[in-house]
Amino acid sequence: MTEFRVCLVTVPDRATAVKIAENIVAAKLCACVNLISGVESIYHWQGKTEYGDEILMLIKTQQSCLEPLNARIRQLHPYAVFEFVALPVDYGDNNYLKWIHDSTS
């Protein structure tokens, strides 16, 4: 396992995704954010099954950036409870991982 992580964050629309992505990249909390449109979410919320169209953000970062990254997204995210899940990167191209390392604080 490496020190690198891919974080999953869903947001309600493209404008929110771009605002968050630009902010966290500029703050060097991550190296890259991919925005994936067309995500349909079905989830349990306040006793009901809900349905919603969302944007999935794939965020490439390091373990050491997770807490400040989560805190920054919390400031910018419109949901009271939002998805923030960090998955370990077991393997990656050395040049790509070096780029992530060099691009983050």
Side-chain angles (χ1 to χ4, degrees), residues 17 20-22 24-25 30-35 56-60:
I20 292 172
E22 289 176 343
I24 62 179
V25 168
C30 65
C32 175
V33 181
N34 300 116
L35 306 180
L56 175 62
M57 302 173 67
L58 294 179
I59 303 168
K60 280 58 138 260

Side-chain angles (χ1 to χ4, degrees), residues 1-6 60-61 87-92 97 100:
M1 186 177 313
T2 68
E3 65 194 83
F4 302 99
R5 302 291 181 266
V6 173
K60 280 58 138 260
T61 192
L87 306 173
V89 174
D90 289 334
Y91 178 83
L97 297 179
I100 294 173

Side-chain angles (χ1 to χ4, degrees), residues 14-74:
R14 180 166 170 71
T16 301
V18 169
K19 174 184 167 184
I20 292 172
E22 289 176 343
N23 188 290
I24 62 179
V25 168
K28 295 189 176 219
L29 294 172
C30 65
C32 175
V33 181
N34 300 116
L35 306 180
I36 302 173
S37 300
V39 173
E40 184 176 355
S41 296
I42 303 169
Y43 55 95
H44 189 257
W45 181 249
Q46 297 180 339
K48 297 189 296 185
T49 300
E50 299 284 343
Y51 302 82
D53 294 325
E54 295 184 297
I55 305 287
L56 175 62
M57 302 173 67
L58 294 179
I59 303 168
K60 280 58 138 260
T61 192
Q62 296 187 73
Q63 172 72 31
S64 61
C65 295
L66 290 179
E67 287 186 29
L69 176 63
N70 186 30
R72 179 67 61 94
I73 292 172
R74 182 178 292 113

